């Protein structure tokens, strides 16, 4: 829920309403049959695979060779690489491209994804947590628990696992003047939250803090979602 804040010019997010769970394996619709699971705006299944291929190629070159992600990308990557990542990410030869092209392509790939990386059902809770939690480390742990929700589609969660763990390694690398979690948060927040609902009404600083806190907390971890559980409501 969004309300006007009398002490600032931004809209503040109030605590999200409690969310109701139900088990789709037990829920019934009309006629006694199983109720269909709510529609989820998930990323394409190949999205985390494509991102992982780019990250592997970048990290094989060595994160200590030169700082990454500290400047605005000159482009979103070669069209042929972008097309290959969209159609057959497993087979694309990413090692033929240099470090700058790969890093630009990674950011361009995230920027051009067709649906939100952060599902609407957890967006308000993430922003509220960033807004109300002062400690970056504590904020990061809370954000990780929110993103472990079964309401986050597997492809979205897997992509965030790959990205945040990569950014942790970038921040911890020995490259001189390497980007800090704060700088990496500023660099990637726009791409991550580009399609998020209500993001135009939220202070972009909250988006930056979400990314910074996730990186400072060590990134997301792999998890096995419990089958059959969904939030009662999904929004696209």
């Amino acid at each position: 829920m969004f309300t006007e804040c009398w002490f600032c010019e931004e809209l503040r997010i109030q605590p999200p309403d409690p969310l109701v769970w139900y088990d789709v394996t037990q829920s019934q619709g009309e006629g006694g049959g199983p109720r269909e699971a709510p529609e989820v705006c998930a990323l394409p299944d190949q999205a985390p695979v494509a991102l992982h291929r780019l990250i592997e190629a970048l990290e094989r070159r060595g994160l200590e060779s030169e700082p990454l992600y500290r400047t605005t990308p000159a482009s979103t990557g070669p069209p042929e690489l972008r097309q290959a990542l969209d159609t057959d990410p497993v087979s694309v030869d990413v090692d033929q491209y240099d470090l700058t092209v790969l890093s630009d392509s990674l950011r361009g790939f995230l920027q051009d994804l067709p649906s939100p990386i952060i599902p609407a059902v957890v967006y308000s809770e993430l922003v509220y947590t960033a807004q109300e939690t002062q400690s970056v480390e504590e904020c990061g742990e809370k954000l990780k628990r929110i993103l472990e929700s079964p309401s986050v589609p597997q492809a979205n969660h897997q992509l965030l696992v790959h990205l945040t763990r990569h950014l942790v390694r970038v921040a911890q690398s020995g490259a001189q003047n390497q980007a800090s979690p704060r700088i990496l948060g500023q660099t990637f927040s726009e791409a991550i939250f580009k399609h998020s609902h209500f993001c135009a009404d939220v202070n972009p600083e909250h988006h930056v803090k979400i990314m910074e806190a996730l990186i400072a907390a060590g990134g997301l971890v792999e998890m096995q979602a419990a089958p059959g559980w969904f939030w009662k409501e999904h929004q696209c």
Side-chain angles (χ1 to χ4, degrees):
M1 178 185 300
F2 294 86
T3 60
E4 291 190 13
C5 174
W6 294 98
F7 306 103
C8 55
E9 296 181 354
E10 64 175 287
L11 295 179
R12 292 180 64 84
I13 292 184
Q14 300 303 308
D17 295 332
L19 294 169
V20 180
W21 298 74
Y22 75 92
D23 185 349
V24 297
T25 63
Q26 298 178 1
S27 179
Q28 292 184 338
E30 294 183 7
R35 182 182 300 170
E36 293 184 2
E39 182 181 358
V40 180
C41 287
L43 293 173
D45 289 340
Q46 70 269 25
V49 179
L51 183 71
H52 188 53
R53 293 299 315 283
L54 289 170
I55 288 172
E56 282 184 325
L58 281 163
E59 295 187 355
R60 273 197 296 270
R61 306 292 177 88
L63 295 177
E64 299 182 6
S65 58
E66 62 181 270
L68 296 174
Y69 312 127
R70 291 184 60 85
T71 59
T72 302
S75 70
T76 58
E80 68 275 8
L81 174 57
R82 298 295 305 282
Q83 182 177 3
L85 289 170
D86 289 338
T87 57
D88 189 10
V90 174
S91 301
V92 61
D93 181 12
V94 290
D95 290 320
Q96 65 178 298
Y97 300 98
D98 64 31
L99 205 62
T100 300
V101 169
L102 291 171
S103 61
D104 288 354
S105 297
L106 187 149
R107 283 185 281 184
F109 176 78
L110 293 173
Q111 188 78 23
D112 293 342
L113 285 170
S115 57
I117 297 173
I118 304 296
V121 72
V122 297
Y123 174 75
S124 293
E125 191 172 3
L126 292 175
V127 174
Y128 176 76
T129 300
Q131 179 178 278
E132 299 298 324
T133 308
Q134 296 301 314
S135 166
V136 172
E137 290 75 14
E138 180 185 357
C139 180
E141 293 300 329
K142 290 181 178 180
L143 295 172
K144 288 165 66 173
R145 288 194 291 271
I146 295 169
L147 288 168
E148 288 171 356
S149 159
S151 66
V152 178
Q154 183 176 359
N156 298 54
H157 185 270
Q158 195 66 38
L159 184 143
L160 287 168
V161 168
H162 293 326
L163 178 62
T164 57
R165 297 297 293 273
H166 169 62
L167 296 180
V168 169
R169 291 189 288 270
V170 170
Q172 293 177 345
S173 72
Q176 186 177 11
N177 298 321
Q178 188 58 279
S180 65
R182 174 71 181 176
I183 292 175
L184 291 171
Q186 293 171 334
T187 301
F188 281 89
S189 61
E190 182 178 354
I192 296 300
F193 292 96
K194 178 181 178 182
H195 297 297
S196 296
H197 291 252
F198 310 118
C199 66
D201 298 322
V202 172
N203 186 339
E205 175 60 26
H206 298 323
H207 296 160
V208 173
K209 184 176 179 180
I210 289 170
M211 292 304 300
E212 176 190 8
L214 287 172
I215 297 166
L220 297 181
V221 296
E222 302 276 0
M223 62 172 292
Q224 183 67 40
W229 288 90
F230 294 83
W231 295 109
K232 188 173 182 180
E233 293 184 0
H234 280 284
Q235 300 178 23
C236 292

